[in-house]
Amino acid sequence: KHTVNDISITAMTVPHRKHSEIVVGLANGAIGQVQLDGGKEQDAGEKNVKPLRDTWSSHEGPITSIQAACHDGFDLLLSTSVDGSVRLWSPEHCQFPLLEMDCYDDYVLDAKWHPVHPACFAVADANGNLDLWDLNTDFEKQVWRMEPTESEVAKADRDRHPTAYNKLAWSPDGKRLVGGTAEGHVRMFT
């Protein structure tokens, strides 16, 4: 059995229905679950290392993001990876993904569930694309894509900096999406 100290954790989320566990994405491309103590506090000097349990292979490269959402009474997970994929999981049945979206040419850096529409989520990739997916409309391709402008691509090539959004966040009402870059730039989409 691995412990949390054995493998680098690259992403984590708390499932909505299981507050006593954390789901972690790992540098080796696996996803694992860590059982918590149920909120019991420990002395500051006491080690609080929890073993990973129920790890499963999920991606061919390090996990870049993982997010839980509760839909119709059960938890779903979105995971992204440097292998260019987004995967949809059920933590209760996690041997195989429910859906694999292997349509990206470069690293997928983040994915965030829409806070209001349970079948929608946003994805950011290392090519600078920002995609919106609606699983009620299509399982195989995004319903909207924003690509970097020619001037953004030219500036990135000149400065040798990517234009990609590496982190995303929705406003609580789902009317705004914010993307942040490694260069410290933030952009809001409405």
Side-chain angles (χ1 to χ4, degrees), residues 18 24 27 52 97 111 114 154 166 179:
K18 295 184 178 180
V24 296
L52 286 173
H114 192 280
N166 58 353

Side-chain angles (χ1 to χ4, degrees), residues 15-185:
H16 292 261
R17 294 186 318 122
K18 295 184 178 180
H19 298 289
S20 63
E21 76 178 33
I22 297 174
V23 177
V24 296
L26 304 171
N28 66 1
I31 293 176
Q33 296 174 326
V34 179
Q35 188 68 37
L36 301 177
D37 280 330
K40 156 173 103 168
E41 294 202 25
Q42 296 186 344
D43 294 334
E46 189 176 334
K47 286 192 172 194
N48 195 7
V49 176
K50 305 294 178 201
L52 286 173
R53 63 178 183 82
D54 301 331
T55 59
W56 65 92
S57 271
S58 57
H59 289 276
E60 299 297 318
I63 307 282
T64 53
S65 74
I66 189 164
Q67 188 190 21
C70 187
H71 298 296
D72 292 331
F74 64 96
D75 284 318
L76 292 175
L77 299 172
L78 274 178
S79 63
T80 62
S81 173
V82 299
D83 67 5
S85 71
V86 179
R87 304 241 164 104
L88 176 66
W89 304 88
S90 165
E92 287 85 18
H93 311 287
C94 50
Q95 298 302 320
F96 302 99
L98 300 172
L99 183 62
E100 297 182 45
M101 293 156 271
D102 294 323
C103 56
Y104 291 91
D105 296 330
D106 207 338
Y107 297 175
V108 181
L109 303 173
D110 202 8
K112 291 289 190 266
W113 286 109
H114 192 280
V116 178
H117 300 291
C120 297
F121 56 92
V123 174
D125 74 10
N127 284 329
N129 299 310
L130 180 61
D131 295 340
L132 293 180
W133 289 76
D134 181 351
L135 299 178
N136 287 331
T137 302
D138 198 328
F139 286 126
E140 296 182 3
K141 69 176 215 171
Q142 69 278 4
V143 295
W144 179 83
R145 169 170 273 189
M146 187 201 72
E147 297 177 344
T149 64
E150 287 184 28
S151 64
E152 288 173 323
V153 171
K155 182 177 180 346
D157 289 343
R158 184 178 61 251
D159 297 343
R160 291 192 169 87
H161 290 295
T163 59
Y165 297 100
N166 58 353
K167 290 298 166 196
L168 301 173
W170 288 99
S171 63
D173 62 5
K175 293 182 179 179
R176 292 175 303 282
L177 176 66
V178 178
T181 69
E183 294 80 34
H185 298 230

